[in-house]
Amino acid sequence: MRVLYSGRVSLARDLSVSAVTAGFVTVLVGFASSAVIVFQAAGGYAVPISPLIGWTGLANLALAPFGAFALNLAAITAAICMGREAHEDPRRRYVAAMAAGGFYMVIGLFGAAVVGLFAAFPGELVAAVAGLALFATIGNGLAAALRDENQREPALVTFLVTASGVTLSGVGSAFWGLVAGVVTLLILRAGSGRG
């Protein structure tokens, strides 16, 4: 019985070490890829998007069995680091990306404590703080999406359905928002084709 128990403890320790290692690798790869994009964009270089997305997808595929499945280039903090809020001068925005990467690594090391801290707060407070932090990003995204007059209604329908949080057949609102936006676009194009 004691051998079985010590074997489980050893397995649990090994799994937690591999999860922490995979999480740390995810942070490093995510930070490095975000830093490359920020540095290149700030320097006026054309960023090769397709290879970056392909390589991060492969890294996600390789690290997902170890619990590191959240590696992507679409982080909200990356959008904030590229925005005016980070610095007026686009060549100085890399400092925000470097600071964000440093905070990611520190928070990653103390992830369980951070999760416990946020779990102690009421869910409404956490949602309100997150919503306030995203005001500028959401505003900029909506302004860009609604800029083109021909595609304003589909963009707005996509946003509203996604923000509604509706779930149909176990599929979340992000998918249904895209479906509603595409259907709206097709209807508008069919209507303009007849007129």
Side-chain angles (χ1 to χ4, degrees), residues 6-192:
S6 70
R8 285 183 182 168
V9 169
S10 175
L11 177 63
R13 189 179 322 120
D14 291 345
L15 287 175
S16 67
V17 168
S18 67
V20 168
T21 304
F24 192 70
V25 169
T26 300
V27 168
L28 285 178
V29 172
F31 171 65
S33 57
S34 298
V36 166
I37 291 172
V38 170
F39 294 152
Q40 287 184 345
Y45 299 106
V47 180
I49 297 298
S50 185
L52 283 174
I53 291 176
W55 281 109
T56 53
L58 287 175
N60 238 345
L61 189 64
L63 295 173
F66 304 103
F69 51 83
L71 175 65
N72 64 60
L73 300 174
I76 294 296
T77 51
I80 293 170
C81 289
M82 288 298 296
R84 221 176 222 153
E85 299 84 12
H87 201 281
E88 288 295 324
D89 183 7
R91 292 174 296 180
R92 299 287 300 155
R93 292 180 186 164
Y94 74 92
V95 176
M98 299 293 287
F103 284 123
Y104 280 164
M105 287 187 228
V106 170
I107 289 173
L109 291 174
F110 301 104
V114 172
V115 168
L117 178 67
F118 278 104
F121 291 126
E124 294 81 9
L125 176 65
V126 174
V129 169
L132 288 174
L134 295 176
F135 262 0
T137 305
I138 292 170
N140 290 338
L142 276 173
L146 300 175
R147 188 174 299 136
D148 186 4
E149 225 174 284
N150 295 331
Q151 298 178 355
R152 189 169 289 161
E153 288 84 4
L156 190 58
V157 168
T158 301
F159 174 73
L160 291 175
V161 172
T162 302
S164 73
V166 66
T167 301
L168 298 172
S169 303
V171 180
S173 62
F175 173 78
W176 295 116
L178 288 173
V179 169
V182 168
V183 167
T184 305
L185 182 64
L186 292 174
I187 290 171
L188 288 174
R189 285 189 178 169
S192 66

